């Protein structure tokens, strides 16, 4: 028996997706070693464990032919000079793509391939970004308000976090003189 069609509601201001089945929370302690300034990370974690981002998903079959639907909110802030960001990932099936739609706030989509290509796209409310197959992706909140975006990707894409945990991203986004600046990641390993 095939699945029946159904509606959902997406609040364009808050990113709230209803109904959704699961909200995942990522605090600084879940992202140890991902920000460049490990001393700043240690100092913050001594006192606090700030929420970096959360994402809500509708649970749909992880099968070819279906789609996955999610909204993410990255809270504003920095660890040292580096803006709050998602962990970032490749897809477990690397030949799958993804679409992001910016809803609120301002930030940047960082993308890279295992061969060492790199691209970035500024995403504001209304920006639609297409992430082709084989491009790892991470979102970064460069603003002072929550950064909210909507994502749609193939049902069987899955997530590969391990490769980004090992190599990091080629470039990182830091604040310099009050403005975002993309710099080479001194820890990047191909
Ligand atoms: C999934 C899609 C998003 C992210 C979410 C959190 O393919 O790209 O829903 O899962 O933004 O980021 P991350 O890197 O922790 O999965
Ligand atoms: Zn993805």
């Amino acid at each position: 028996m095939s699945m029946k069609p159904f509606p959902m509601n997406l609040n364009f201001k808050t990113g709230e997706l209803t109904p959704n089945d699961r909200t995942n929370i990522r605090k600084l302690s879940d992202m140890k070693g991902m920000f460049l300034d490990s001393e700043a990370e240690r100092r913050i974690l001594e006192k606090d464990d700030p929420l970096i981002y959360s994402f809500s998903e509708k649970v749909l079959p992880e099968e070819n032919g279906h789609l996955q639907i999610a909204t993410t909110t990255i809270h504003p802030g920095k660890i040292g000079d580096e803006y709050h960001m998602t962990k970032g990932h490749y897809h477990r099936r690397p030949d799958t793509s993804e679409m992001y739609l910016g809803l609120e706030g301002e930030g940047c989509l960082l993308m890279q391939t295992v061969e060492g290509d790199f691209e970035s796209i500024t995403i504001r409310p209304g920006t639609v970004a297409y992430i082709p197959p084989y491009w790892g992706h991470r979102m970064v909140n460069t603003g002072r308000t929550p950064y909210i975006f909507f994502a749609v990707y193939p049902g069987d894409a899955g997530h590969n976090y391990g490769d980004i945990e090992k190599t990091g991203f080629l470039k990182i986004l830091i604040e310099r003189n009050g403005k975002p600046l993309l710099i080479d990641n001194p820890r990047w390993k191909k």
Side-chain angles (χ1 to χ4, degrees):
M1 165 63 174
S2 61
M3 184 188 272
K4 288 210 170 130
F6 60 89
M8 283 183 274
N9 186 69
L10 174 62
N11 183 318
F12 278 34
K13 283 269 156 233
T14 64
E16 193 186 0
L17 188 66
T18 35
N20 70 68
D21 301 303
R22 184 165 62 206
T23 297
N24 311 280
I25 282 174
R26 299 287 180 259
K27 295 183 167 189
L28 182 56
S29 60
D30 299 315
M31 299 181 71
K32 277 197 183 141
M34 293 194 128
F35 291 94
L36 181 64
D37 190 340
S38 43
E39 187 50 32
E41 177 195 279
R42 191 191 59 74
R43 271 198 316 272
I44 296 168
L45 284 175
E46 258 173 21
K47 295 192 233 124
D48 196 13
D49 189 7
L51 177 61
I52 309 291
Y53 65 100
S54 63
F55 56 108
S56 300
E57 304 168 299
K58 174 84 191 143
V59 172
L60 289 161
E62 292 188 2
E63 289 168 16
N64 180 24
H66 281 276
L67 294 171
Q68 304 293 343
I69 295 171
T71 57
T72 304
T73 300
I74 308 178
H75 294 275
K78 287 175 290 163
I79 307 301
D81 292 332
E82 195 175 3
Y83 294 105
H84 283 183
M85 62 191 184
T86 58
K87 286 185 174 185
H89 57 267
Y90 293 98
H91 287 162
R92 195 176 58 234
R93 264 202 57 187
D95 59 345
T96 54
S97 55
E98 182 151 356
M99 185 282 294
Y100 279 172
L101 166 64
L103 296 178
E104 274 295 318
E106 184 168 323
C108 201
L109 168 61
L110 309 183
M111 289 161 288
Q112 68 186 26
T113 65
V114 287
E115 287 82 29
D117 304 299
F118 180 87
E119 293 286 331
S120 70
I121 296 179
T122 299
I123 294 195
R124 300 191 178 90
T127 307
V128 174
Y130 181 62
I131 304 164
Y134 303 105
W135 287 83
H137 38 286
R138 161 179 285 168
M139 284 287 256
V140 186
N141 184 351
T142 56
R144 297 184 193 282
T145 58
Y147 184 38
I148 305 173
F149 59 95
F150 178 68
V152 180
Y153 56 102
D156 57 345
H159 295 94
N160 162 5
Y161 291 103
D163 285 348
I164 298 291
E165 278 163 17
K166 270 185 243 137
T167 67
F169 260 71
L170 253 120
K171 290 182 190 278
I172 60 170
L173 257 170
I174 60 162
E175 187 174 85
R176 180 80 49 85
N177 302 323
K179 286 197 204 130
L181 180 70
L182 200 53
I183 60 163
D184 288 338
N185 180 359
R187 288 210 218 127
W188 158 254
K189 290 183 254 152
K190 194 164 174 184

